Amino acid sequence: MRFAGRRAATGAGEAHRRRRLPPARRGWWSNYKDIFGGNALPDFEVEASMMRMYQCQVIPGLLQTPEYAESIFRGARTLSDKEVQRNVDARMQRQHVLTRHRPLHLWAVIDEAALHRLAGKSEVMRDQLQHLINMVMHHNMDVQVLPFSAGMHAALSGSFVMLDFPSQLDPSIVYTETSTDILFVQESESVQRYVAELSHLNAAALRTSESIRFLQQSLESHEQHVHT
C-alpha cells in the first residue's frame, strides 16, 4: 500500500493506527497542523518501537540541534522567520520519542556527505557534531557513518526511514519524501527491498565504534575552523 501526497497521507492502514492512538498521545502535533498537515509521520513515530534510516544529505531530524535545524529550514529560502521557528519547534517536539519511557530505538546510517555540508556558521556544525556524539552514547541509539571510501552502495536513490512496531499485526512501513511529495510504503515486497538496502548499508558503513571515532575526527576538524 502506498500513501502519497505532500503533507497529506491517507489509507486504511494509517487511519486504523490513528484511531487507536489516545487523544493525550496525539495532542502535541495537533498544535502543529500548519507544519504537518496530513503527514502521519508523528503518529507513526509515537507508536513505533524502532526506526531504521539512511540519511544522505543532512543529520537526521531526530538528532538535530535547534540551530542546525534552523539552518536547514532557512536554506529553503521560502519560509518566513515565523515559519522557520515553527518548523524548528515541531522538529524538537518530535525528538521526545528518543527520551520517553521505553524510548524509540534509532538506528541511523549517515552518509559522510552530511558531515561535511556546513550549516551556517562553523559553530553550528561543531555543536551539531558534539550533540550527535553525545546521542550515540545512549543505549537506544546506533549510528553508523557511511564513508566516501565505501564507494557505490545500495541506497543511491536517496534517504528513507523504516518504522517497526511492537505488534506483529502492524507491519513495518517506509517513509520517503521529496520537495513536493511524501510517500508511505507498506507493501511487503517493497518493504523487503528496503530491508535489503539497510542490510547492505549496515555492512558497507563503519561499525558504531569506528563511526564514533570518525565523528570525533570531524568534530576536531570543525573546531579548528572555529578557532581560525
Side-chain angles (χ1 to χ4, degrees), residues 6 158-161 174-178 181-185 194:
R6 186 62 179 172
S159 304
F160 63 91
V161 174
V174 174
Y175 172 86
T176 64
E177 64 178 28
T178 69
D181 294 290
I182 60 174
L183 179 68
F184 288 98
V185 180
Y194 283 101

Side-chain angles (χ1 to χ4, degrees), residues 2-79:
R2 292 174 179 261
F3 311 133
R6 186 62 179 172
R7 298 186 184 275
T10 59
E14 176 195 322
H16 173 66
R17 282 206 182 93
R18 289 172 67 92
R19 283 197 301 270
R20 285 172 41 208
L21 284 171
R25 291 176 63 191
R26 294 172 54 190
W28 77 262
W29 60 88
S30 66
N31 296 323
Y32 291 90
K33 291 181 179 178
D34 55 319
I35 303 302
F36 297 115
N39 189 339
L41 183 59
D43 294 17
F44 288 133
E45 288 177 336
V46 166
E47 280 202 284
S49 56
M50 184 172 186
M51 175 186 287
R52 295 177 281 173
M53 67 167 63
Y54 167 63
Q55 180 54 258
C56 62
Q57 297 290 345
V58 296
I59 305 301
L62 294 184
L63 298 174
Q64 292 174 5
T65 63
E67 295 78 14
Y68 182 89
E70 178 182 346
S71 180
I72 290 175
F73 290 121
R74 290 196 183 282
R77 293 178 171 80
T78 59
L79 302 177

Side-chain angles (χ1 to χ4, degrees), residues 6 29 36-37 84 126 137 189 202:
R6 186 62 179 172
W29 60 88
F36 297 115
V84 167
R126 176 199 63 190
M137 302 302 176
E189 184 176 346
N202 176 251

Side-chain angles (χ1 to χ4, degrees), residues 53-55 107-112 142-154 197-212 214:
M53 67 167 63
Y54 167 63
Q55 180 54 258
W107 173 48
V109 177
I110 305 174
D111 198 284
E112 182 180 348
D142 289 295
V143 172
Q144 293 180 269
V145 174
L146 183 67
F148 291 146
S149 60
M152 301 300 176
H153 56 81
E197 287 189 13
L198 284 167
S199 179
H200 288 302
L201 288 169
N202 176 251
L206 301 176
R207 291 177 297 179
T208 299
S209 59
E210 296 171 332
S211 295
I212 292 173
F214 195 100

